[in-house]
Amino acid sequence: MKSDGVPMTVSARWQVFPDRAALAAHATMLILASARAAIAAHGQFRLVLSGGQTPLAVYARLATARAEWPHWHWYFGDERCLPAGDAGRNDTAIRHVWLDHIAAPPANIHAIPAELGAQAAARQYAALLTGLGDFDLVLLGLGEDGHTASLFPGRPLAASAEVLAVHDAPKPPSERVTMSAARLSRARQVLFLVTGADKRAAVTAWRAGADIPARAISGNVQVLLDAAAAAEEPSTTGSR
Ligand code: 6PG
């Protein structure tokens, strides 16, 4: 299946948890296991971070975990074009709950320089990613309208560029930078974290095969949902 030339998710694993805390505990365990495997296999762990509120509970758990932090590299799936250190930026929130509390080598935190504006930041981040290879793990969220990272409905998803400037995002701020669906799909594993009843319509559309941006992410995709987002009983695992 293809949409705009982008391979579609043909098989996603869906797992439903009773609540946000159970989902966060499982996601934390998966991330740490993925890190151990990647570091054992090739000496480092390349993780792409998702913005938004949902993953903050996971990041807070990771702040108290034991891990080989010097071998981790943190990348960002998207960023909001706000001044460096602004409380509305994804990297600021993530530093605050996680990265400021661990021995993360500053050179391993590959923030998007969104303070430069969308075009310049996208150019610089694309240069940083050049030749990097596949990520070990990509974390993503889901918006009420089906967006993921800063890939919003109604925009072409088939961009060949690895990093895109976004000028008209419906979720504020309108100026953003995002990795493309193709770049986000270049990963050993992709993990969506989705919580809250306000995501129900998007989840239902996604599972029904609707052409929402989240569906443009392909590969080894796993979706963790809480019961509120899934609108069904916990422990339902399936594929579609
Ligand atoms: C952002 C995002 C965005 C987010 C979803 C879900 O910067 O806003 O990366 O794609 O992940 O909108 O956000 P919540 O977890 O806050 O619902």
Side-chain angles (χ1 to χ4, degrees), residues 20 49-56 77-80 88-90 139-145 147-152 171-173 176-178 193-196 198-199:
R20 288 169 195 257
L49 301 170
S50 164
Q53 294 298 309
T54 308
L56 295 179
D78 73 326
E79 189 54 275
R80 299 134 185 230
R89 278 177 65 136
N90 290 330
L139 301 177
L140 288 169
L142 180 71
E144 293 168 40
D145 58 358
H147 77 255
T148 191
S150 288
L151 299 166
F152 292 93
K171 179 180 180 180
R176 289 163 171 258
V177 177
T178 187
L193 309 178
V194 185
T195 62
D198 55 340
K199 306 294 170 62

Side-chain angles (χ1 to χ4, degrees), residues 27-158:
T28 303
M29 186 270 291
L30 289 180
I31 294 166
L32 291 169
S34 175
R36 283 192 297 271
I39 293 166
H42 55 90
Q44 57 175 225
F45 179 50
R46 293 171 180 160
L47 173 66
V48 176
L49 301 170
S50 164
Q53 294 298 309
T54 308
L56 295 179
V58 177
Y59 301 152
R61 283 171 184 265
L62 287 165
T64 59
R66 289 166 66 94
E68 297 178 89
W69 302 124
H71 298 283
W72 288 47
H73 282 261
W74 294 267
Y75 297 88
F76 294 77
D78 73 326
E79 189 54 275
R80 299 134 185 230
C81 292
L82 297 168
D86 190 286
R89 278 177 65 136
N90 290 330
D91 61 356
T92 307
I94 295 167
R95 285 176 198 274
H96 184 67
V97 298
W98 181 18
L99 303 180
D100 287 350
H101 306 286
I102 59 167
N108 291 7
I109 302 173
H110 307 285
I112 298 175
E115 65 280 4
L116 303 178
Q119 292 291 354
R123 252 197 321 273
Q124 278 204 16
Y125 212 57
L128 179 98
L129 298 184
T130 301
L132 187 66
D134 293 355
F135 296 116
D136 293 299
L137 178 62
V138 169
L139 301 177
L140 288 169
L142 180 71
E144 293 168 40
D145 58 358
H147 77 255
T148 191
S150 288
L151 299 166
F152 292 93
R155 279 77 174 167
L157 292 168

